[in-house]
Structures are given as C-alpha cells and as structure tokens.
Amino acid sequence: MTKKQILLNSLFTENAVWRQILGICSALAVTNLLMNSLVMGLGVIFTLACSSFTISFLRNYIPNRIRMMVQVLIIASYVIIVDLFLKAFLPNMSKALGPYVGLIITNCIIMGRAEAFASKNTPVNSAIDGIGAGTGYALVLLIIAFFRELFGFGTLFGLQVLGAWWTKWSIMVMAPSAFFMLALLMWFVYTMKTRKAKN
Amino acid sequence: MEISVFILFMAAVFTSNILLTNFLGMCSYLSVSKQIESSIGLGIAVFFVMTCTTALNYAVYYFILVPLDLVYLQYIIFIIVIAAFVQLTEMVIERFSPVLYYSLGIFLPLITVNCAILGVSLFMIIRHYTFIQSVAFGAGSGIGWMLAILALAGIRERVNEKFVPAGLRGAALSLIITGIMALGFIGLSGIAVIQ
C-alpha cells in the first residue's frame, strides 16, 4: 500500500467510529460544542500519531507478554503532554474537557491501531495510519457537534448563526441527543454505502 | 464539598449515571450486552473493581502523589493501579474459586481498558471528594453502570431486529435504546444533582 492509500483507508474505509464502533465514549461526551470537539480531536490526532510511531519503532524490542502494559504507558505519556499543554495555554478548555483529556488513554481507537497496525508496520507508515484514524475520529466529532451546537445553542464555534427567532432545543445540549445523533450518523453512512455498492 | 454520602451514592446510581450522562464505558457496554447472563457477570466485575480502585487511587493520590508533588503523573499511576488490581483479582479468584473464575474470568481483562473505571478516579480528584464520598461515588457508579447494561441487555433480548431498518441494526439500535433510557433517567433528576 502507498502512503496515500494507508491514510485514506484508516480515515474513511476503516473509520474507527462508524465502522469499528471504537472510542465512542469521548465522541459522545465532548460534542455539545464545536470548539471542545476540535480541541479534543486535535489531542487525539497528536496522541495517536505519536504513540503509533513510538510503538512501531519499539515493536521488535517489546516482549510479547507485556506489550499491552508498555503500550498503555507510551500512550499515557503522550496524553500527559497534551494535558499539560492544555493546562498551560488553554486553561478554560482544559476545565471544560475535564476528565475526558485523561480518558484519551483508555480510548480504544489508540490501543486498536497499536495492535492492528503499528505492531506490524514501519514507524512512518504507522504515524500516517495514526493521523488518518485520528482525523476520521475528529471528523465524526465535528459532524455531531455541528448539529448539536447549531440546534442546541443556535451558534457555531460560539458565533450566533440562527437569530433570536430560533427556539433552542435544550434536548440537544443534554446527554440523550448525543446517542441519537451518533445512531443517525451510523444509519446515514450505512445507507450511503449500500446505495454506492448497488450502483 | 458538603454533600451527604447517601445523596452522592443515589445520584451516582440514577441521576448522574456514569454511562447515561457521562458516556463512560461505552465500548464494553455495546459489545457485551447481547445476553443478560454475561452482562450480569461484567456488571458485578465492574462494580467490584470500581469500588476498590477508587479507594486505592484516593490513597495513592493524596498520600503519595500530592506530598511528592508528582500530581502530573496521575494518569500513569492510576492506570497502573487499575491494571495491577485487575491482575491481582484475577489471580485470587482463580486460586480460591475456579467456578467464579470461569464465569467472571473472561470479563476481567476487559475491565482494564474500561474508561468508566479510570473516569471515576479522575472525577473524584476533579470534584475534591473526601475518602468516604469517593468510595460511595465509586460504588454508586458501579451499580449505575450495571443497571444500565442489564436494562440494555434485557431490551435487546426482546427486540426483533427483523422490523428494524437494515442500517439501524446492531450498534446504532443499541445507541437509540440507550438514548431513550437516558431520557428516562433525566426524569429522575429532581431527586439529587451532583456536579
């Protein structure tokens, strides 16, 4: 596979959220505002790319029996970097995201890519795969957040889009709508795919 | 923080359910909820591990990390404590109760990567709970998680997927069921609210 194919494959064809149903905990939690989703998405892309690179680089030196533990430690180190960065430069964002930054560690996407791709491929290809998978994840976050923020607050990235005539749907801000939006997105993607396959 | 322990416990079970309002532990929730029996096994394991690791992490955080000024290492330390505790529990159960081990054993390794366990420990630090409050919060969240997975498994066993549009079958349908359940739990939110 060429590098471009690796990127597109992990971004769309094997998209972690709607194809493999991984990492949806945080996908649901931070999507009430677009800005939160964007920062979270960038954090995951960074962690995923760096940890895939490192794990792939060390893949021949890690004993098989303790590889999970080593992978978790590598991932945790990068998450600490993201967390300290947010605390230093974006303190408000760090408060808004709360524990979900730390929970990137247990985001199954990262372990999933480490197991499925990084432990068998070269470092550079693994990093590209990580960027692809992370971008796919960020894309899903932004799509869901777009609708939730638009209908729930009438804003996009904090800017007023819908006028004062808009009645805010407070359900979109609350938890249940996150479940509904993700389910509808999965339905949409499935329908588009089967329609494409038929043609 | 002045919240009575009982209110905190009830809130963790119902109104601030770790799964339905904070979306934690979704991966195993969706994949293990096909049958009631296996979801009971996983639910009990989560409850036990969550209660114990919350207490352990509290001790580690306030008696080791804070005095040594190593708070920024909390993620690594918490995940190590959880992984070690799960491993230990597995060995103890295997040694003393092989029957329980065979019914519960396969779920234990799954728990290390269950984000609800780590999430409860992180919430405990962010919300400045005392030790008793933390244990009540951990136990309540564990029961709340078990309640949610049991409810979903019960519904999924009865749903006939033949009448569901093809694109909604499987995970998407579970998400919609969960959304409706979350709506129901919001109806209880007059009882107690924790932030």
Side-chain angles (χ1 to χ4, degrees), chain B residues 49-81:
Chain B
V49 173
M50 203 180 262
T51 315
C52 298
T53 54
T54 317
L56 277 175
N57 279 337
Y58 183 92
V60 168
Y61 186 81
Y62 285 104
F63 298 120
I64 298 178
L65 293 185
V66 172
L68 292 178
D69 208 13
L70 289 174
V71 171
Y72 60 90
L73 282 182
Q74 56 168 312
Y75 299 146
I76 288 192
I77 303 294
F78 283 0
I79 202 89
I80 291 176
V81 168

Side-chain angles (χ1 to χ4, degrees), chain A residues 21 23-25 28-29 72-73 76 80 83 98-100 102-103 105-106 108 171 174-176 178-180 182-183 186-187 190, chain B residues 20 22-27 30 72 75-76 79 113 115 119 122-123 126 165-168 171-172 175-176 178-180 182-183 186:
Chain A
I21 321 176
I24 46 182
C25 310
L28 296 165
V72 168
L73 288 183
I80 290 177
D83 186 48
Y100 295 103
L103 288 170
I105 299 172
T106 47
C108 338
I171 180 78
M174 292 192 293
F179 293 111
F180 295 140
L182 185 59
M186 282 177 181
W187 190 7
Y190 180 88
Chain B
L20 296 173
N22 292 317
F23 314 104
L24 296 180
M26 289 296 296
C27 299
L30 288 179
Y72 60 90
Y75 299 146
I76 288 192
I79 202 89
V113 287
C115 38
L122 295 177
F123 272 124
I126 288 177
L168 270 180
L175 283 172
I176 294 215
T178 314
I180 297 171
L183 271 179
I186 283 180

Side-chain angles (χ1 to χ4, degrees), chain B residues 10-182:
Chain B
M10 292 311 277
V13 177
F14 293 109
T15 54
S16 301
N17 189 297
I18 191 92
L19 196 139
L20 296 173
T21 58
N22 292 317
F23 314 104
L24 296 180
M26 289 296 296
C27 299
S28 40
Y29 169 81
L30 288 179
S31 53
V32 187
S33 59
K34 284 198 186 76
Q35 283 153 0
I36 291 186
E37 230 167 80
S38 49
S39 53
I40 290 179
L42 184 64
I44 292 172
V46 165
F47 165 70
F48 176 69
V49 173
M50 203 180 262
T51 315
C52 298
T53 54
T54 317
L56 277 175
N57 279 337
Y58 183 92
V60 168
Y61 186 81
Y62 285 104
F63 298 120
I64 298 178
L65 293 185
V66 172
L68 292 178
D69 208 13
L70 289 174
V71 171
Y72 60 90
L73 282 182
Q74 56 168 312
Y75 299 146
I76 288 192
I77 303 294
F78 283 0
I79 202 89
I80 291 176
V81 168
I82 292 169
F85 183 79
V86 170
Q87 196 86 59
L88 196 72
T89 318
E90 210 178 332
M91 290 191 312
V92 170
I93 293 179
E94 192 182 9
R95 172 76 179 75
F96 291 105
S97 170
V99 182
L100 188 64
Y101 179 75
Y102 281 113
S103 59
L104 212 62
I106 47 166
F107 299 117
L108 281 170
L110 271 179
I111 287 181
T112 316
V113 287
N114 187 328
C115 38
I117 311 272
L118 182 62
V120 166
S121 291
L122 295 177
F123 272 124
M124 160 187 93
I125 303 299
I126 288 177
R127 294 175 180 165
H128 306 288
Y129 289 148
T130 63
F131 181 73
I132 304 292
Q133 282 176 335
S134 303
V135 175
F137 180 64
S141 299
I143 291 178
W145 198 89
M146 184 157 60
L147 195 68
I149 194 172
L150 267 180
L152 179 67
I155 294 171
R156 275 182 79 174
E157 277 194 351
R158 280 166 186 73
V159 168
N160 186 346
E161 292 212 332
K162 218 164 55 183
F163 302 112
V164 178
L168 270 180
R169 281 176 203 158
L173 182 66
S174 303
L175 283 172
I176 294 215
I177 295 172
T178 314
I180 297 171
M181 259 157 54

